[in-house]
Amino acid sequence: EREYELHTNLGPKKLGTAVLLRRGIRASRIHFEPEGRLISVELLGLNMVCLYAPSGSEAKLKRDDFFRFTVPAYVLASKNPAIIIGDFNTTEELGQRRGNATRPKDSVALVVALKEMVKGLGISDVWNLLRPTEDGFTFPQLAKLSLT
């Protein structure tokens, strides 16, 4: 606890996001989304945005609004380059998420808002930048690498 400083954003429904910074790294600005689903921290010339998107098919409209309006508002609030991390609860492309009988694969409707946000903000997954010829995206690929 003496080596790190924790910044949390806990919303009214006990949903939350957090950023843990090593002591001595000072955030110049911290912004909290009211529902606890996003925290934005400006530091070292970057805007770090940590998010937890609404999940489930019943929350599709909330997730769409989150990607179309909420995330861009917090990313564009700073002139610094942004790094966006967290749980998106969907993928940018169909087929990147395994489905089963109780959780089918994403439909086109579920990925549209994320694709629009990615295109509108001009962002891309680091995995795709580093390995343009390989399928995938950062989280499951890093999980596979850590197991080998």
Side-chain angles (χ1 to χ4, degrees), residues 124-145:
S124 59
D125 191 306
V126 173
W127 183 264
N128 294 330
L129 292 175
L130 297 175
R131 299 174 185 228
T133 61
E134 295 180 31
D135 289 336
F137 51 100
T138 306
F139 173 73
Q141 301 304 334
L142 291 178
K144 287 179 196 175
L145 291 175

Side-chain angles (χ1 to χ4, degrees), residues 47-79:
N47 183 19
M48 301 286 294
V49 178
C50 178
L51 63 88
Y52 172 48
S55 62
S57 57
E58 68 283 350
K60 182 198 173 314
L61 293 176
K62 286 180 87 171
R63 187 171 45 251
D64 284 357
D65 285 348
F66 187 74
F67 288 133
R68 286 188 174 121
F69 305 111
T70 305
V71 176
Y74 284 86
V75 169
L76 297 173
S78 170
K79 294 185 190 266

